[in-house]
Amino acid sequence: MVTLLLDSTQLEVVLSGTERALSRRSTSVRIERDLIQKVQLTDDPWNWLRGVPSLGTLVRGVVAMGTWASAGGSDFVVVRRRRAGVIIDLDESAEFSRLLLTTRHGLELVRALRLEGEDAAAPVTEIVAAADDPEAPASARAPRPRRTPRPAIA
């Protein structure tokens, strides 16, 4: 399973040795935080595959890893079995148009992206845990956005 690291400037998808070999990619995927347009959670990432594998590995229903080419651009995919995942839509100036990842930390990723990032990269689960922990020092907690009441419609 991929490790997601997030700091104030970028999201890094750290690949294990096996994932690097199957995806035929020698480095982690680094995406500038400003290039992230939308993040969606999904119960079945297989339904979101589009195009054909151009560089990577595909064993239907078991594993899909690597770069997928389609008319809409190229996607980077790390999908395993029938597990929940996350779809990250990116700006057109990014290396990929979309990231499709199997992870059990999708909800934490969404929450961590809403928070102000620290300068040092940290796993998304730790960022969210620090924000939720009332005992953590104030420097470790991110400020929560204020909600303003909506006016009543007459």
Side-chain angles (χ1 to χ4, degrees):
M1 185 175 319
V2 296
T3 301
L4 302 172
L5 299 177
L6 185 67
D7 65 16
S8 61
T9 60
Q10 71 180 1
L11 169 67
E12 182 176 358
V13 180
V14 181
L15 303 171
S16 69
T18 303
E19 291 165 340
R20 285 195 308 270
L22 291 175
S23 66
R24 294 190 171 83
R25 185 173 176 92
S26 60
T27 61
S28 299
V29 177
R30 290 180 179 87
I31 303 296
E32 294 297 318
R33 205 169 168 159
D34 298 341
L35 298 178
I36 297 173
Q37 299 292 315
K38 180 172 58 171
V39 179
Q40 301 176 70
L41 302 176
T42 180
D43 288 333
D44 190 5
W46 290 94
N47 290 333
W48 291 85
L49 283 176
R50 63 182 181 185
V52 294
S54 63
L55 188 60
T57 303
L58 173 64
V59 178
R60 294 194 186 277
V62 178
V63 67
M65 291 188 193
T67 303
W68 256 241
S70 70
S74 63
D75 297 346
F76 184 74
V77 176
V78 178
V79 176
R80 291 186 176 163
R81 305 223 182 255
R82 297 283 179 195
R83 297 184 181 155
V86 62
I87 300 112
I88 304 170
D89 290 319
L90 305 170
D91 190 67
E92 59 191 35
S93 62
E95 178 182 1
F96 300 105
S97 59
R98 206 167 63 156
L99 300 179
L100 181 56
L101 309 169
T102 300
T103 179
R104 64 184 120 177
H105 303 298
L107 186 57
E108 287 88 352
L109 174 64
V110 171
R111 292 180 62 201
L113 284 169
R114 290 182 182 167
L115 302 171
E116 289 298 317
E118 297 290 324
D119 290 336
V124 294
T125 54
E126 290 178 15
I127 293 170
V128 172
D132 290 342
D133 186 9
E135 299 297 319
S139 61
R141 289 192 314 254
R144 296 194 184 257
R146 289 189 135 179
R147 291 191 173 194
T148 56
R150 294 184 181 183
I153 298 175

